[in-house]
Amino acid sequence: MTEAQDQSEIFNGTAGLKDARSADGTDARAIPAFVFGAELADLAERDPRIVVLTADLGRSNRALDFAARHPDRFVNVGIAEKNMITIAAGMASCGYVPFAATFGSFAALLCAEQIRTDCAYPNLPVRIVGHHSGMSMGFYGTSHHSLEDLGMMRTIADLTVVCATDTNHLRALLRLSLHHPGAMYLRLGRGRDPEVYDAVPDLVLGRAQTVRDGADLTIIATGSEVHPALGAAELLAAQGVSTRVVDMWTISPLDRDAVLDAANATGAILTVEEGNVTGGLGTAVAEVLFEAGVRVAFRRHGVPDEHVPVGPPAGLYAHYRLDAPGIAAVAQELLTTNEGNRA
């Protein structure tokens, strides 16, 4: 079979990569849908500052749930994402806390100038919500894949960058954001993220969450990759590897203490992100280690510096080894290389 045929089987989902219970590899019956609009609608009952804007994607991000309860505080700007960010900045300057939501690829890549100049520079409390991030828009291709957003957003001064892990985590982020004085980029997945937190966590900006402890290796993951990282830790445990898993949900500011503690406690760090490894979470962690002069077995894992093929998300995750078995395999490669270097 040719390489092209192999690729075709993977991305058409005929290579045994999909869960037969759904079309995209995720059991839709077992996981919740987007709570973005519903949670903000609840919060808006007590906070008159909250307004929601979307660029003709109210159904995709469930902003329509907010609009149904607070129609006078909801704005659909149409397919005009750059204008949406600037409108949100204007509303923020008048005392509102606007949540401007669109696909991550449009929010970060298309609107980078507006985010920097209109929101971050004047330190306005605009919440830019980039949903369907990473490769979760699989079949829509490069124009809709959001692989560069973490690398881009974390370089903007005075912009806080956070990633939602699951439904309860998203609720916590939205609540936390109401008390943050400056601009914030919230990176969301597809809204059908497997549960990591069984209750709404108590979050502190700049402080990561350790969701599993271990002694041999630390996997530092963010967003959609936290759940498969936990799955990888289970697989590694069966092989005798004790793995700590850290949810680095706060990308900027990054939790430097959590990184350095992981390096000292486990001696090996694997970062995992659903995005381009250039400039993102892995780079941020590497900067911390290098600047602190810490020598540790280290590897960045994510999408290599390339444009992702078109295909179902489950196929893409398997192809790039961003599912649990793939992450476990990469972790073993890191540990084996480290042992070889010691020999």
Side-chain angles (χ1 to χ4, degrees):
M1 183 175 290
T2 66
E3 182 178 351
Q5 287 172 319
D6 287 338
Q7 296 285 324
S8 177
E9 283 195 359
I10 290 173
F11 298 120
N12 285 328
T14 58
L17 300 176
K18 295 201 308 181
D19 186 324
R21 294 169 292 182
S22 73
D24 61 7
T26 302
D27 184 359
R29 297 168 299 179
I31 46 183
F34 255 125
V35 297
F36 168 70
E39 178 66 22
L40 283 178
D42 288 344
L43 295 173
E45 298 287 350
R46 304 181 297 277
D47 193 332
R49 301 173 302 155
I50 297 174
V51 292
V52 172
L53 302 88
T54 190
D56 215 26
L57 289 173
R59 186 182 301 275
S60 294
N61 54 37
R62 299 310 308 167
L64 291 181
D65 294 340
F66 181 90
R69 292 169 56 184
H70 304 283
D72 57 333
R73 295 157 68 179
F74 172 76
V75 181
N76 181 5
V77 304
I79 304 175
E81 291 85 2
K82 294 181 180 181
N83 287 345
M84 177 178 69
I85 300 301
T86 300
I87 292 168
M91 298 177 83
S93 71
C94 295
Y96 292 98
V97 178
F99 291 78
T102 186
F103 291 144
S105 55
F106 301 163
L109 279 67
L110 188 63
C111 304
E113 180 183 357
Q114 286 71 28
I115 293 172
R116 183 197 65 174
T117 307
D118 296 347
C119 303
Y121 175 59
N123 200 38
L124 292 172
V126 178
R127 311 297 175 238
I128 302 99
V129 181
H131 53 86
H132 289 79
S133 60
M135 302 178 290
S136 62
M137 293 289 288
F139 282 114
Y140 288 80
T142 295
S143 63
H144 285 62
H145 293 161
S146 178
L147 303 174
E148 307 87 354
D149 57 334
L150 289 182
M152 293 174 63
M153 294 295 100
R154 64 179 287 262
T155 64
I156 297 177
D158 295 322
L159 178 67
T160 296
V161 181
V162 297
C163 300
T165 304
D166 63 9
T167 295
N168 280 325
H169 198 260
L170 174 57
R171 292 186 190 277
L173 287 183
L174 293 174
R175 298 173 191 179
L176 174 71
S177 72
L178 295 179
H179 309 290
H180 184 64
M184 180 179 289
Y185 177 72
L186 294 95
R187 190 185 207 244
L188 279 55
R190 290 189 298 166
R192 291 190 176 276
D193 307 297
E195 183 181 276
V196 172
Y197 298 95
D198 58 8
V200 178
D202 184 17
L203 301 179
V204 176
L205 189 63
R207 185 179 301 169
Q209 300 282 110
T210 298
V211 292
R212 180 186 176 110
D213 207 2
D216 301 323
L217 163 74
T218 297
I219 299 177
I220 300 178
T222 192
S224 61
E225 288 304 311
V226 176
H227 187 269
L230 286 168
E234 289 288 340
L235 296 174
L236 290 167
Q239 302 169 34
V241 178
S242 174
T243 304
R244 176 185 297 190
V245 179
V246 173
D247 179 0
M248 188 63 75
W249 61 271
T250 175
I251 303 297
S252 181
L254 193 81
D255 189 343
R256 294 174 53 87
D257 291 341
V259 173
L260 296 177
D261 181 67
N264 292 326
T266 66
I269 294 178
L270 174 68
T271 62
V272 185
E273 57 195 305
E274 188 185 340
N276 193 314
V277 293
T278 304
L281 169 65
T283 299
V285 171
E287 290 167 356
V288 170
L289 295 171
F290 182 81
E291 290 173 357
V294 175
R295 295 179 60 87
V296 63
F298 176 75
R299 180 167 173 176
R300 297 177 301 166
H301 182 44
V303 179
D305 194 16
E306 66 184 44
H307 297 294
V308 169
V310 173
L316 295 173
Y317 299 147
H319 176 67
Y320 287 109
R321 300 200 292 178
L322 287 169
D323 54 3
I327 295 170
V330 173
Q332 280 288 18
E333 291 171 6
L334 171 64
L335 295 173
T336 300
T337 301
N338 186 46
E339 287 298 320
N341 291 336
R342 289 179 177 177

Tab-separated table of all heavy atoms in Angstrom, residues 215-268:
chain	number	residue	atom	x	y	z
A	215	ALA	N	6.488	10.161	40.089
A	215	ALA	CA	7.871	10.367	40.493
A	215	ALA	C	8.894	10.243	39.371
A	215	ALA	O	10.026	10.709	39.511
A	215	ALA	CB	8.232	9.362	41.593
A	216	ASP	N	8.526	9.610	38.248
A	216	ASP	CA	9.504	9.334	37.195
A	216	ASP	C	9.472	10.324	36.041
A	216	ASP	O	10.478	10.532	35.351
A	216	ASP	CB	9.273	7.927	36.619
A	216	ASP	CG	9.386	6.846	37.671
A	216	ASP	OD1	10.248	6.985	38.569
A	216	ASP	OD2	8.604	5.870	37.620
A	217	LEU	N	8.317	10.914	35.813
A	217	LEU	CA	8.115	11.752	34.629
A	217	LEU	C	6.973	12.721	34.915
A	217	LEU	O	6.025	12.375	35.631
A	217	LEU	CB	7.745	10.872	33.419
A	217	LEU	CG	7.119	11.551	32.193
A	217	LEU	CD1	8.174	12.342	31.423
A	217	LEU	CD2	6.452	10.522	31.292
A	218	THR	N	7.067	13.937	34.351
A	218	THR	CA	5.945	14.861	34.408
A	218	THR	C	5.470	15.159	32.995
A	218	THR	O	6.278	15.522	32.126
A	218	THR	CB	6.323	16.195	35.089
A	218	THR	OG1	6.698	15.938	36.437
A	218	THR	CG2	5.140	17.154	35.071
A	219	ILE	N	4.178	14.988	32.773
A	219	ILE	CA	3.568	15.450	31.530
A	219	ILE	C	2.870	16.764	31.848
A	219	ILE	O	1.966	16.811	32.686
A	219	ILE	CB	2.551	14.437	30.973
A	219	ILE	CG1	3.235	13.103	30.659
A	219	ILE	CG2	1.877	14.994	29.719
A	219	ILE	CD1	2.276	12.019	30.163
A	220	ILE	N	3.313	17.831	31.208
A	220	ILE	CA	2.671	19.129	31.344
A	220	ILE	C	1.814	19.340	30.100
A	220	ILE	O	2.343	19.478	29.000
A	220	ILE	CB	3.697	20.266	31.491
A	220	ILE	CG1	4.564	20.041	32.729
A	220	ILE	CG2	3.001	21.614	31.561
A	220	ILE	CD1	5.634	21.101	32.929
A	221	ALA	N	0.513	19.323	30.288
A	221	ALA	CA	-0.415	19.424	29.161
A	221	ALA	C	-1.337	20.613	29.361
A	221	ALA	O	-1.415	21.194	30.452
A	221	ALA	CB	-1.228	18.141	29.021
A	222	THR	N	-2.054	20.964	28.311
A	222	THR	CA	-3.006	22.062	28.408
A	222	THR	C	-4.218	21.784	27.543
A	222	THR	O	-4.130	21.060	26.542
A	222	THR	CB	-2.351	23.406	27.999
A	222	THR	OG1	-3.203	24.490	28.366
A	222	THR	CG2	-2.071	23.468	26.512
A	223	GLY	N	-5.362	22.321	27.960
A	223	GLY	CA	-6.584	22.218	27.166
A	223	GLY	C	-7.003	20.800	26.873
A	223	GLY	O	-7.070	19.939	27.768
A	224	SER	N	-7.253	20.520	25.606
A	224	SER	CA	-7.782	19.225	25.188
A	224	SER	C	-6.819	18.079	25.405
A	224	SER	O	-7.227	16.906	25.336
A	224	SER	CB	-8.145	19.275	23.696
A	224	SER	OG	-6.987	19.551	22.915
A	225	GLU	N	-5.549	18.358	25.673
A	225	GLU	CA	-4.570	17.286	25.824
A	225	GLU	C	-4.398	16.812	27.260
A	225	GLU	O	-3.655	15.859	27.508
A	225	GLU	CB	-3.224	17.734	25.257
A	225	GLU	CG	-3.202	17.810	23.740
A	225	GLU	CD	-3.592	16.492	23.084
A	225	GLU	OE1	-3.036	15.444	23.467
A	225	GLU	OE2	-4.472	16.503	22.204
A	226	VAL	N	-5.076	17.441	28.202
A	226	VAL	CA	-4.951	16.991	29.590
A	226	VAL	C	-5.583	15.609	29.766
A	226	VAL	O	-5.005	14.725	30.416
A	226	VAL	CB	-5.580	18.008	30.555
A	226	VAL	CG1	-5.522	17.487	31.993
A	226	VAL	CG2	-4.877	19.356	30.455
A	227	HIS	N	-6.768	15.411	29.195
A	227	HIS	CA	-7.442	14.113	29.348
A	227	HIS	C	-6.632	12.972	28.733
A	227	HIS	O	-6.401	11.946	29.405
A	227	HIS	CB	-8.847	14.175	28.760
A	227	HIS	CG	-9.663	12.952	29.024
A	227	HIS	ND1	-9.690	11.878	28.156
A	227	HIS	CD2	-10.468	12.608	30.067
A	227	HIS	CE1	-10.474	10.943	28.641
A	227	HIS	NE2	-10.953	11.357	29.799
A	228	PRO	N	-6.163	13.071	27.481
A	228	PRO	CA	-5.329	11.978	26.965
A	228	PRO	C	-3.999	11.842	27.704
A	228	PRO	O	-3.441	10.740	27.753
A	228	PRO	CB	-5.125	12.342	25.485
A	228	PRO	CG	-5.462	13.773	25.368
A	228	PRO	CD	-6.487	14.052	26.428
A	229	ALA	N	-3.495	12.928	28.287
A	229	ALA	CA	-2.279	12.812	29.085
A	229	ALA	C	-2.519	11.940	30.310
A	229	ALA	O	-1.659	11.135	30.699
A	229	ALA	CB	-1.792	14.200	29.507
A	230	LEU	N	-3.695	12.084	30.913
A	230	LEU	CA	-4.048	11.208	32.035
A	230	LEU	C	-4.177	9.765	31.567
A	230	LEU	O	-3.766	8.831	32.274
A	230	LEU	CB	-5.352	11.683	32.668
A	230	LEU	CG	-5.257	12.957	33.508
A	230	LEU	CD1	-6.656	13.488	33.837
A	230	LEU	CD2	-4.483	12.693	34.804
A	231	GLY	N	-4.748	9.574	30.385
A	231	GLY	CA	-4.826	8.221	29.828
A	231	GLY	C	-3.453	7.639	29.574
A	231	GLY	O	-3.203	6.452	29.821
A	232	ALA	N	-2.542	8.467	29.090
A	232	ALA	CA	-1.167	8.018	28.861
A	232	ALA	C	-0.502	7.637	30.176
A	232	ALA	O	0.254	6.656	30.242
A	232	ALA	CB	-0.376	9.117	28.164
A	233	ALA	N	-0.785	8.410	31.224
A	233	ALA	CA	-0.204	8.101	32.530
A	233	ALA	C	-0.651	6.728	33.024
A	233	ALA	O	0.130	5.997	33.652
A	233	ALA	CB	-0.588	9.183	33.541
A	234	GLU	N	-1.911	6.384	32.747
A	234	GLU	CA	-2.406	5.050	33.116
A	234	GLU	C	-1.651	3.966	32.353
A	234	GLU	O	-1.271	2.931	32.917
A	234	GLU	CB	-3.904	4.957	32.832
A	234	GLU	CG	-4.776	5.777	33.767
A	234	GLU	CD	-4.839	5.176	35.164
A	234	GLU	OE1	-4.537	3.977	35.319
A	234	GLU	OE2	-5.182	5.921	36.107
A	235	LEU	N	-1.445	4.178	31.060
A	235	LEU	CA	-0.715	3.201	30.249
A	235	LEU	C	0.727	3.078	30.725
A	235	LEU	O	1.282	1.973	30.778
A	235	LEU	CB	-0.754	3.616	28.778
A	235	LEU	CG	-2.133	3.635	28.110
A	235	LEU	CD1	-2.038	4.197	26.699
A	235	LEU	CD2	-2.726	2.232	28.079
A	236	LEU	N	1.334	4.191	31.072
A	236	LEU	CA	2.715	4.162	31.556
A	236	LEU	C	2.815	3.476	32.922
A	236	LEU	O	3.803	2.790	33.204
A	236	LEU	CB	3.257	5.594	31.643
A	236	LEU	CG	3.491	6.285	30.296
A	236	LEU	CD1	3.714	7.783	30.496
A	236	LEU	CD2	4.689	5.665	29.577
A	237	ALA	N	1.793	3.648	33.744
A	237	ALA	CA	1.793	2.994	35.053
A	237	ALA	C	1.850	1.483	34.896
A	237	ALA	O	2.513	0.786	35.687
A	237	ALA	CB	0.556	3.406	35.842
A	238	ALA	N	1.160	0.987	33.867
A	238	ALA	CA	1.180	-0.460	33.613
A	238	ALA	C	2.565	-0.933	33.186
A	238	ALA	O	2.860	-2.126	33.250
A	238	ALA	CB	0.151	-0.801	32.537
A	239	GLN	N	3.402	-0.001	32.754
A	239	GLN	CA	4.764	-0.331	32.349
A	239	GLN	C	5.774	0.022	33.445
A	239	GLN	O	6.984	-0.015	33.224
A	239	GLN	CB	5.114	0.428	31.060
A	239	GLN	CG	4.180	0.134	29.903
A	239	GLN	CD	4.384	1.075	28.728
A	239	GLN	OE1	5.508	1.506	28.447
A	239	GLN	NE2	3.318	1.407	28.029
A	240	GLY	N	5.260	0.400	34.619
A	240	GLY	CA	6.123	0.689	35.744
A	240	GLY	C	6.642	2.107	35.813
A	240	GLY	O	7.581	2.387	36.568
A	241	VAL	N	6.033	3.018	35.045
A	241	VAL	CA	6.467	4.417	35.036
A	241	VAL	C	5.462	5.253	35.817
A	241	VAL	O	4.278	5.299	35.480
A	241	VAL	CB	6.593	4.962	33.595
A	241	VAL	CG1	7.006	6.438	33.628
A	241	VAL	CG2	7.594	4.135	32.801
A	242	SER	N	5.923	5.900	36.857
A	242	SER	CA	5.079	6.759	37.681
A	242	SER	C	5.074	8.167	37.088
A	242	SER	O	6.127	8.816	37.006
A	242	SER	CB	5.617	6.794	39.117
A	242	SER	OG	4.912	7.724	39.898
A	243	THR	N	3.899	8.635	36.686
A	243	THR	CA	3.810	9.867	35.908
A	243	THR	C	2.960	10.927	36.588
A	243	THR	O	1.798	10.685	36.924
A	243	THR	CB	3.217	9.579	34.514
A	243	THR	OG1	3.998	8.574	33.865
A	243	THR	CG2	3.193	10.841	33.660
A	244	ARG	N	3.550	12.076	36.789
A	244	ARG	CA	2.802	13.253	37.242
A	244	ARG	C	2.170	13.925	36.015
A	244	ARG	O	2.801	14.017	34.964
A	244	ARG	CB	3.742	14.231	37.943
A	244	ARG	CG	3.081	15.532	38.368
A	244	ARG	CD	4.080	16.533	38.950
A	244	ARG	NE	4.711	16.037	40.177
A	244	ARG	CZ	5.470	16.790	40.972
A	244	ARG	NH1	5.699	18.068	40.673
A	244	ARG	NH2	6.009	16.267	42.059
A	245	VAL	N	0.939	14.405	36.159
A	245	VAL	CA	0.275	15.145	35.087
A	245	VAL	C	-0.115	16.512	35.622
A	245	VAL	O	-0.813	16.617	36.630
A	245	VAL	CB	-0.970	14.411	34.546
A	245	VAL	CG1	-1.644	15.243	33.444
A	245	VAL	CG2	-0.588	13.037	34.007
A	246	VAL	N	0.359	17.546	34.940
A	246	VAL	CA	0.087	18.930	35.327
A	246	VAL	C	-0.769	19.583	34.246
A	246	VAL	O	-0.419	19.548	33.066
A	246	VAL	CB	1.391	19.724	35.515
A	246	VAL	CG1	1.093	21.210	35.761
A	246	VAL	CG2	2.212	19.138	36.657
A	247	ASP	N	-1.894	20.150	34.664
A	247	ASP	CA	-2.742	20.914	33.760
A	247	ASP	C	-2.242	22.362	33.775
A	247	ASP	O	-2.549	23.134	34.675
A	247	ASP	CB	-4.201	20.842	34.223
A	247	ASP	CG	-5.138	21.647	33.326
A	247	ASP	OD1	-4.669	22.256	32.342
A	247	ASP	OD2	-6.355	21.662	33.611
A	248	MET	N	-1.456	22.711	32.750
A	248	MET	CA	-0.930	24.076	32.651
A	248	MET	C	-1.956	24.914	31.884
A	248	MET	O	-1.760	25.314	30.743
A	248	MET	CB	0.429	24.084	31.949
A	248	MET	CG	1.119	25.441	31.994
A	248	MET	SD	1.537	26.002	33.664
A	248	MET	CE	2.962	24.964	34.052
A	249	TRP	N	-3.083	25.158	32.550
A	249	TRP	CA	-4.191	25.868	31.909
A	249	TRP	C	-3.884	27.355	31.745
A	249	TRP	O	-4.462	28.027	30.892
A	249	TRP	CB	-5.469	25.693	32.747
A	249	TRP	CG	-5.370	26.246	34.141
A	249	TRP	CD1	-4.924	25.589	35.249
A	249	TRP	CD2	-5.698	27.571	34.566
A	249	TRP	NE1	-4.960	26.418	36.348
A	249	TRP	CE2	-5.435	27.642	35.963
A	249	TRP	CE3	-6.215	28.705	33.918
A	249	TRP	CZ2	-5.660	28.802	36.710
A	249	TRP	CZ3	-6.432	29.853	34.660
A	249	TRP	CH2	-6.157	29.902	36.034
A	250	THR	N	-2.972	27.868	32.546
A	250	THR	CA	-2.610	29.279	32.465
A	250	THR	C	-1.284	29.404	31.719
A	250	THR	O	-0.223	29.096	32.259
A	250	THR	CB	-2.572	29.907	33.880
A	250	THR	OG1	-2.103	31.248	33.805
A	250	THR	CG2	-1.716	29.100	34.848
A	251	ILE	N	-1.370	29.788	30.462
A	251	ILE	CA	-0.203	29.856	29.584
A	251	ILE	C	0.570	31.155	29.780
A	251	ILE	O	1.785	31.196	29.741
A	251	ILE	CB	-0.631	29.717	28.112
A	251	ILE	CG1	-1.399	28.403	27.897
A	251	ILE	CG2	0.568	29.796	27.178
A	251	ILE	CD1	-0.600	27.162	28.172
A	252	SER	N	-0.161	32.234	29.970
A	252	SER	CA	0.461	33.527	30.253
A	252	SER	C	-0.420	34.282	31.243
A	252	SER	O	-1.537	34.677	30.891
A	252	SER	CB	0.622	34.341	28.964
A	252	SER	OG	1.250	35.586	29.238
A	253	PRO	N	0.011	34.378	32.516
A	253	PRO	CA	1.330	34.017	33.038
A	253	PRO	C	1.484	32.510	33.240
A	253	PRO	O	0.528	31.834	33.622
A	253	PRO	CB	1.382	34.747	34.380
A	253	PRO	CG	-0.057	34.813	34.812
A	253	PRO	CD	-0.844	35.012	33.552
A	254	LEU	N	2.681	32.026	32.991
A	254	LEU	CA	2.992	30.611	33.167
A	254	LEU	C	3.404	30.353	34.611
A	254	LEU	O	4.027	31.207	35.243
A	254	LEU	CB	4.117	30.210	32.219
A	254	LEU	CG	4.357	28.711	32.043
A	254	LEU	CD1	3.351	28.143	31.051
A	254	LEU	CD2	5.783	28.443	31.555
A	255	ASP	N	3.048	29.183	35.115
A	255	ASP	CA	3.407	28.810	36.482
A	255	ASP	C	4.842	28.276	36.495
A	255	ASP	O	5.094	27.079	36.329
A	255	ASP	CB	2.428	27.752	37.000
A	255	ASP	CG	2.598	27.479	38.493
A	255	ASP	OD1	3.652	27.844	39.055
A	255	ASP	OD2	1.674	26.900	39.092
A	256	ARG	N	5.801	29.159	36.706
A	256	ARG	CA	7.211	28.787	36.715
A	256	ARG	C	7.522	27.810	37.848
A	256	ARG	O	8.304	26.864	37.673
A	256	ARG	CB	8.088	30.029	36.864
A	256	ARG	CG	8.044	30.988	35.696
A	256	ARG	CD	8.832	32.270	36.000
A	256	ARG	NE	10.185	31.968	36.441
A	256	ARG	CZ	11.214	31.794	35.620
A	256	ARG	NH1	11.038	31.894	34.317
A	256	ARG	NH2	12.424	31.525	36.094
A	257	ASP	N	6.903	28.020	39.006
A	257	ASP	CA	7.169	27.147	40.148
A	257	ASP	C	6.758	25.708	39.861
A	257	ASP	O	7.452	24.765	40.262
A	257	ASP	CB	6.439	27.660	41.386
A	257	ASP	CG	7.018	28.964	41.921
A	257	ASP	OD1	8.175	29.281	41.567
A	257	ASP	OD2	6.315	29.670	42.662
A	258	ALA	N	5.623	25.537	39.176
A	258	ALA	CA	5.162	24.183	38.859
A	258	ALA	C	6.137	23.484	37.910
A	258	ALA	O	6.392	22.284	38.032
A	258	ALA	CB	3.769	24.236	38.229
A	259	VAL	N	6.702	24.240	36.967
A	259	VAL	CA	7.671	23.675	36.026
A	259	VAL	C	8.946	23.258	36.751
A	259	VAL	O	9.442	22.138	36.585
A	259	VAL	CB	7.994	24.698	34.915
A	259	VAL	CG1	9.130	24.185	34.024
A	259	VAL	CG2	6.756	24.981	34.069
A	260	LEU	N	9.468	24.137	37.573
A	260	LEU	CA	10.725	23.851	38.260
A	260	LEU	C	10.563	22.741	39.291
A	260	LEU	O	11.455	21.907	39.469
A	260	LEU	CB	11.255	25.128	38.917
A	260	LEU	CG	11.622	26.245	37.938
A	260	LEU	CD1	12.071	27.496	38.685
A	260	LEU	CD2	12.701	25.787	36.962
A	261	ASP	N	9.419	22.707	39.946
A	261	ASP	CA	9.160	21.627	40.901
A	261	ASP	C	9.088	20.289	40.189
A	261	ASP	O	9.615	19.281	40.680
A	261	ASP	CB	7.857	21.887	41.652
A	261	ASP	CG	7.561	20.798	42.669
A	261	ASP	OD1	8.309	20.680	43.649
A	261	ASP	OD2	6.571	20.052	42.463
A	262	ALA	N	8.445	20.274	39.016
A	262	ALA	CA	8.359	19.034	38.244
A	262	ALA	C	9.742	18.562	37.815
A	262	ALA	O	10.054	17.361	37.865
A	262	ALA	CB	7.468	19.250	37.021
A	263	ALA	N	10.576	19.495	37.396
A	263	ALA	CA	11.928	19.139	36.972
A	263	ALA	C	12.724	18.542	38.128
A	263	ALA	O	13.423	17.531	37.963
A	263	ALA	CB	12.630	20.374	36.414
A	264	ASN	N	12.619	19.155	39.288
A	264	ASN	CA	13.375	18.677	40.448
A	264	ASN	C	12.834	17.360	40.997
A	264	ASN	O	13.595	16.510	41.454
A	264	ASN	CB	13.355	19.741	41.546
A	264	ASN	CG	14.137	20.983	41.164
A	264	ASN	OD1	15.142	20.889	40.468
A	264	ASN	ND2	13.676	22.146	41.612
A	265	ALA	N	11.515	17.191	40.934
A	265	ALA	CA	10.892	16.013	41.551
A	265	ALA	C	10.941	14.782	40.665
A	265	ALA	O	11.049	13.651	41.171
A	265	ALA	CB	9.442	16.333	41.922
A	266	THR	N	10.846	14.976	39.330
A	266	THR	CA	10.730	13.808	38.450
A	266	THR	C	11.886	13.664	37.465
A	266	THR	O	12.096	12.572	36.935
A	266	THR	CB	9.410	13.854	37.647
A	266	THR	OG1	9.431	14.960	36.736
A	266	THR	CG2	8.221	13.995	38.586
A	267	GLY	N	12.599	14.732	37.195
A	267	GLY	CA	13.783	14.626	36.340
A	267	GLY	C	13.522	14.494	34.861
A	267	GLY	O	14.466	14.411	34.068
A	268	ALA	N	12.264	14.470	34.449
A	268	ALA	CA	11.931	14.382	33.027
A	268	ALA	C	10.596	15.080	32.802
A	268	ALA	O	9.659	14.907	33.586
A	268	ALA	CB	11.842	12.928	32.568
